[in-house]
Amino acid sequence: MRLHPCLALAAATATLAVGAVPAAAAPATAPAPAAAAAGSVLTAGGTAVAAGDVLLASLAAGTRATFSSDTTGSTGVFCGTSPFTAKVLANPAAPGTATASLTGLTFGSCTANVTGVTSVRSLTVGNLAYTLALDSAAGHPVALTPGPAGPIQASAVLNSWFGTLTCTYQLSGAFTGAADNTAHALVFRNARFTKSAGSSLCPGEGYFSATYGPLTDSTRPGAPAVDVT
């Protein structure tokens, strides 16, 4: 956190102050800026994340993004890569809710184990940007909501025994998750989508799950990991 030089300077200043002014004047000393910054909802490297900073994350090591036909996650489309980009809009003091604009979310290295599907051409999201809210409340809830372009949407283009299938889904209900400060990750489980367009062979609904981490502040030197306080 690089606070040791600041603490040493503060200690030296306090020592000089004792000999120069009465003890009653000590409470007037202003709090250290680093302590004030640490009170924000989002911190990186021990200091507040600034509005305008760009947050980056990919799938947590050893995990996949899944878009499955049921909540078990056993059948569906599985993607090995899924980077996202979000720009911080507001980072108030805790307790509170920080917000960011999710401007980029892509999927790659996708496969499927659905009967009749031979390969995955693409899995894409539509109607970006979305609003990402990160709350300092117990459990650090995270919510993804639509932006002005329209509903949160996902489209899969699949090669199958019956030709090319395009299946489009839109979010049904809340797309919620939680921040995990131990892994500096955002965890989403079984966000439910319903089919809005596509072949009759496409499942009527899908459930999205993924763990993104570590979440980093790419604007800061060294891209430190982000915590939700």
Side-chain angles (χ1 to χ4, degrees):
M1 295 176 65
R2 301 189 179 93
L3 294 181
H4 296 300
C6 295
L7 291 174
L9 178 59
T13 302
T15 301
L16 292 173
V18 168
V21 298
T29 303
S40 299
V41 175
L42 301 181
T43 61
T47 58
V49 173
D53 282 8
V54 176
L55 307 182
L56 300 179
S58 295
L59 293 174
T63 70
R64 299 183 296 177
T66 66
F67 196 83
S68 55
S69 56
D70 58 41
T71 57
T72 67
S74 59
T75 304
V77 174
F78 308 89
C79 297
T81 63
S82 180
F84 82 72
T85 305
K87 183 177 181 179
V88 177
L89 301 176
N91 184 22
T97 302
T99 57
S101 177
L102 185 69
T103 56
L105 179 61
T106 60
F107 297 91
S109 301
C110 300
T111 60
N113 64 353
V114 180
T115 301
V117 174
T118 56
S119 63
V120 180
R121 287 194 181 184
S122 64
L123 178 63
T124 58
V125 296
N127 299 331
L128 291 170
Y130 308 145
T131 298
L132 178 66
L134 304 103
D135 202 304
S136 63
H140 304 311
V142 175
L144 198 63
T145 55
I152 295 174
Q153 181 174 289
S155 294
V157 180
L158 311 171
N159 294 321
S160 79
W161 298 342
F162 314 100
T164 302
L165 303 178
T166 299
C167 307
T168 300
Y169 298 84
Q170 291 184 347
L171 183 68
S172 175
F175 194 158
T176 59
D180 175 0
N181 284 337
T182 300
H184 307 291
L186 303 182
V187 182
F188 299 97
R189 289 288 178 268
N190 290 327
R192 182 175 179 267
F193 287 74
T194 55
K195 188 175 76 172
S196 58
S199 167
S200 60
L201 299 175
C202 300
E205 60 185 11
Y207 295 85
F208 177 77
S209 296
T211 298
Y212 291 93
L215 179 66
T216 63
D217 184 346
S218 68
T219 305
R220 297 270 300 282
V226 174
D227 287 320
V228 182
T229 58

